[in-house]
Amino acid sequence: MPDFHTTVEQQIREVIADLLNYSVETVDQEAGLSDLSGLDSLTLYKILDKIEAKFDISLDESELYEAGSLSDMTQLVADALTDRSPEAGETPAPQQHATTADSDPDERQ
């Protein structure tokens, strides 16, 4: 069974390959993203959009533009996924306190 990082990388590779009409195997992990023929700023934005939707995360556009390779992009996504997981120290949102209507007998119906 592939590890977490490998799974994330493969899914990102599939997104890139799909948008650039490449075979998945031709998207090299260490090759520079700028070396990919057909990769312009609009396509990079589409990649960002698809990755955010696929992983249900939000990425900083500037970080994605600075990612020089698939490996860098994979690390950004892996970090975003780790940051949002409860195991990474995320605390749940506080529960709502009782409203006046809940605590005041005259306000109850």
Side-chain angles (χ1 to χ4, degrees):
M1 180 173 196
D3 70 354
F4 171 73
H5 197 270
T6 302
T7 301
V8 169
E9 178 186 304
Q10 181 61 29
Q11 291 180 1
I12 293 172
R13 183 179 276 147
E14 289 169 3
V15 167
I16 292 171
D18 180 53
L19 285 171
L20 295 176
N21 294 317
Y22 281 27
S23 68
V24 174
E25 296 78 26
T26 60
V27 182
D28 183 33
Q29 176 183 1
E30 296 304 324
L33 294 177
S34 60
D35 296 334
L36 296 172
S37 176
L39 185 64
D40 56 19
S41 59
L42 178 60
T43 306
L44 192 56
Y45 181 78
K46 288 178 182 178
I47 290 170
L48 171 69
D49 191 48
K50 285 197 173 227
I51 288 172
E52 287 180 331
K54 179 179 273 298
F55 293 102
D56 191 27
I57 58 174
S58 180
L59 296 172
D60 184 333
E61 274 183 56
S62 64
E63 289 181 329
L64 186 64
Y65 286 117
E66 292 172 9
S69 66
L70 173 62
S71 180
D72 294 341
M73 191 179 293
T74 300
Q75 192 60 53
L76 286 173
V77 172
D79 290 347
L81 289 168
T82 302
D83 288 347
R84 73 172 187 158
S85 71
E87 296 83 33
E90 179 179 300
T91 55
Q95 296 295 317
Q96 295 292 325
H97 296 288
T99 63
T100 304
D102 291 336
S103 60
D104 186 352
D106 293 333
E107 293 292 324
R108 292 185 197 160
Q109 295 181 358

